[in-house]
Amino acid sequence: MKDRLSVIGVGYIGLPLATTFAASGFDVAGLDVNPETIERINNGTIDESEPDLNKMVKKVIKSGKLKVTLNVDEALKDSDIFVICVQTPVNNNHESNLNHLKSSLILISKYLKKGDLIVIESTIPPGTMEFVVKPLLEDTGFKVGSDFFLAYCCENVFPTNILEETTHNDKIIGCFDAESSKLAVKLYSRINDGTINTTNTKTAELVKISENVFRDVNIALANEMAIIFNNMGADIRLIIQLANHNKRVNIHNPGPGVGGSCLPKDPYFLINAAKKHGFEPKLIEAARKVNNSMPDYTLNLIKKSLANIEKNQSDAIVTILGVTYKGDVNDTRNSPAKEIIEKLLPIIKEVRVHDFLSKETFGGKSFNDLNDSIIGSDCVVILNNSTEYQNIDFRKIRELMTDKSVIVDTVNIVNIEARDKNYFSI
Ligand code: SAJ
């Protein structure tokens, strides 16, 4: 196996992977269609929420082991290994859009030569390897397993811990033939000390989707129980904490909704596939509905809390703490904050937005200073559990607020001492 490798798509997943390959000795060329992405990588201003990654990117760029570019020829011309890490979104009808994947494959086809290995890391609907990827590459006249080699090595790294998980997580690799399997295992063994499991492509595709469906359904269960227990006046967090003492129970955390680029999308890959095979899934679809309803539940909680202090909505100032889709990331894709802020804007006098890691406001008024965002606010809504928010003593925040103001805590981070009659939580 030669040591020249191309990564197509150097975003959230592709960049850490390209960096890890570069740090382990490969000459890596990263290709992206987004000039800003390339600029940020070359300037060393990458992702504050992954500090170790930042350091390592700077190192491999400086040493010349990683080069990132918008130029296809420069990125693909001398490589023997191609790793695709492009996004595979769904449209408004929840149907998958594989355009980025297909165009990456078409680009690779132009450079494909005998002996090359192509790896797909992007999450894909079941059957994509067999019915989309393989035929597109075989259009070159080359055959998988004899002329070139092909593997699906689904990514499973956890945002906030990506670099560590790229090198230590167990991997699942799906291939059509033994030689592809052998080459893919050899490739990942260079960077990963976890167990590398091999299987067929369909199984690997379904393993990846199952992981995120499992998490989505479990979060939905926690959210539904939170709503039921709230109505009963019971403390969901305490119940979860105590129930999880049973070693066979692992209830997840309720929250303002499920965001990010994976969980709001991947279950639809399975729902659509099930329908194609004549089965109407009930549980997985219901879980999606429960999770999608949480921003509205949060919105109603904000309205209820304002009513509780007899504050007219149209005169109210609401402060949102945390716009990213979860704590400690700077990623706002599919963040529940978007829906909540956009629905508050027309009914509330002022929506203030503060986040330690993101400048996004979704139309609200941006506040760099936390205290400034609190003073004069009628309702402080906490939407994510970033470490900086967790470290706050909310008694101090309470001192900045008037007696006739409320805190809505969707992620259970306000310290017990600051939970008074004007404290609301999910
Ligand atoms: N969330 C809850 N309650 C919880 C856990 C999460 O409401 O108990 C919310 C988060 O706040 C966030 C959303 O769910 O809005 C998703 O966050 P997450 O931490 O569950 O997952 P992601 O999207 O950051 O990463 C997931 C991971 N999948 C699993 O853990 C099964 C990651 O390992 C995958 O690599 C990633 O999806 C992906 O790319 O598929």
Side-chain angles (χ1 to χ4, degrees):
M1 183 181 289
K2 303 220 191 76
D3 280 355
R4 162 90 188 173
L5 179 149
S6 298
V7 174
I8 296 101
V10 278
Y12 290 92
I13 299 302
L15 180 62
L17 195 60
T19 305
T20 309
F21 278 123
S24 72
F26 285 89
D27 287 306
V28 183
L31 177 68
D32 209 285
V33 290
N34 188 345
E36 269 175 41
T37 303
I38 299 296
E39 205 181 303
R40 267 193 290 113
I41 298 171
N42 282 329
N43 290 343
T45 47
I46 308 132
D47 184 349
E48 295 141 31
S49 52
E50 305 275 352
D52 294 343
L53 173 65
N54 258 348
K55 269 188 238 150
M56 210 199 262
V57 171
K58 280 183 193 150
K59 207 166 146 194
V60 291
I61 291 275
K62 198 169 167 208
S63 70
K65 293 304 271 182
L66 173 65
K67 292 195 171 84
V68 292
T69 175
L70 296 165
N71 185 310
V72 175
D73 196 51
E74 205 181 303
L76 305 186
K77 71 173 182 243
D78 295 320
S79 285
D80 313 294
I81 304 165
F82 301 90
V83 184
I84 301 185
C85 301
V86 295
Q87 65 271 49
T88 48
V90 289
N91 64 20
N92 290 340
N93 298 325
H94 310 305
E95 289 147 356
S96 61
N97 170 351
L98 298 178
N99 290 344
H100 295 289
L101 175 67
K102 287 181 191 162
S103 51
S104 305
L105 290 165
I106 291 165
L107 289 181
I108 292 171
S109 297
K110 295 185 184 139
Y111 294 85
L112 192 66
K113 50 189 192 323
K114 286 203 168 193
D116 285 353
L117 170 66
I118 294 145
V119 175
I120 313 296
E121 277 251 347
S122 309
T123 304
I124 46 180
T128 304
M129 288 299 287
E130 186 176 353
F131 299 111
V132 179
V133 178
K134 184 169 176 271
L136 250 169
L137 290 169
E138 289 192 333
D139 272 351
T140 53
F142 288 146
K143 290 276 160 256
V144 171
S146 49
D147 299 317
F148 72 95
F149 306 96
L150 179 61
Y152 176 57
C153 306
C154 44
E155 66 87 4
N156 58 1
V157 290
F158 194 70
T160 65
N161 195 29
I162 289 189
L163 206 52
E164 161 91 6
E165 298 210 359
T166 302
T167 47
H168 300 306
N169 278 3
D170 290 351
K171 272 300 239 192
I172 314 296
I173 295 184
C175 295
F176 294 103
D177 63 283
E179 188 59 20
S180 296
S181 230
K182 202 173 112 193
L183 287 174
V185 171
K186 198 171 164 196
L187 174 67
Y188 278 85
S189 304
R190 293 271 301 265
I191 57 163
N192 188 309
D193 60 12
T195 307
I196 302 180
N197 303 278
T198 56
T199 181
N200 59 48
T201 57
K202 195 199 282 176
T203 305
E205 288 165 338
L206 289 170
V207 167
K208 164 68 201 187
I209 297 169
S210 302
E211 291 169 5
N212 281 350
V213 166
F214 168 86
R215 197 151 167 92
D216 197 46
V217 170
N218 276 287
I219 297 168
L221 176 66
N223 281 332
E224 186 155 284
M225 290 201 300
I227 295 169
I228 298 169
F229 298 167
N230 269 351
N231 290 343
M232 294 165 72
D235 182 346
I236 172 75
R237 308 286 173 165
L238 180 61
I239 294 163
I240 292 174
Q241 191 202 325
L242 296 176
N244 284 350
H245 277 277
N246 182 325
K247 59 180 180 290
R248 286 174 298 280
V249 175
N250 175 20
I251 303 176
H252 288 42
N253 293 312
V258 168
S261 66
C262 310
L263 268 58
K265 167 195 72 138
D266 296 352
Y268 292 112
F269 287 174
L270 192 55
I271 292 168
N272 296 341
K275 287 180 180 168
K276 262 194 218 150
H277 286 82
F279 179 74
E280 236 5 90
K282 291 164 210 72
L283 180 65
I284 303 168
E285 203 147 34
R288 279 282 72 236
K289 284 192 182 130
V290 170
N291 289 337
N292 282 340
S293 73
M294 290 314 287
D296 269 338
Y297 184 78
T298 305
L299 201 67
N300 285 333
L301 201 57
I302 297 169
K303 290 180 188 169
K304 205 174 111 189
S305 72
L306 288 171
N308 204 53
I309 51 166
E310 291 164 354
K311 184 81 194 176
N312 278 337
Q313 282 174 29
S314 53
D315 291 332
I317 298 177
V318 173
T319 300
I320 301 290
L321 302 185
V323 284
T324 60
Y325 81 89
K326 68 174 184 178
D328 295 331
V329 298
N330 64 3
D331 187 348
T332 55
R333 288 177 296 172
N334 298 316
S335 174
K338 181 175 193 288
E339 188 178 339
I340 295 165
I341 293 169
E342 286 177 353
K343 285 185 172 168
L344 278 174
L345 281 168
I347 56 169
I348 296 288
K349 183 176 156 201
E350 183 177 307
V351 182
R352 300 175 175 180
V353 178
H354 176 273
D355 194 302
F356 285 107
L357 294 174
S358 171
K359 293 267 166 276
E360 178 61 76
T361 64
F362 296 121
K365 194 169 167 190
S366 177
F367 277 75
N368 287 329
D369 185 83
L370 176 68
N371 289 356
D372 288 348
S373 78
I374 304 288
I375 295 165
S377 178
D378 299 295
C379 175
V380 173
V381 186
I382 307 149
L383 291 186
N384 78 34
N385 62 354
S386 282
T387 308
E388 284 95 338
Y389 291 129
Q390 289 193 46
N391 288 339
I392 290 173
D393 180 349
F394 277 88
R395 280 175 297 187
K396 297 211 171 94
I397 296 289
R398 257 268 156 246
E399 281 165 17
L400 297 173
M401 301 170 73
T402 65
D403 288 345
K404 274 214 139 197
S405 59
V406 282
I407 293 180
V408 174
D409 178 9
T410 69
V411 281
N412 192 36
I413 58 167
V414 170
N415 35 319
I416 305 288
E417 302 84 354
R419 297 183 185 192
D420 55 17
K421 64 177 178 27
N422 287 340
Y423 170 83
F424 292 78
S425 66
I426 288 188

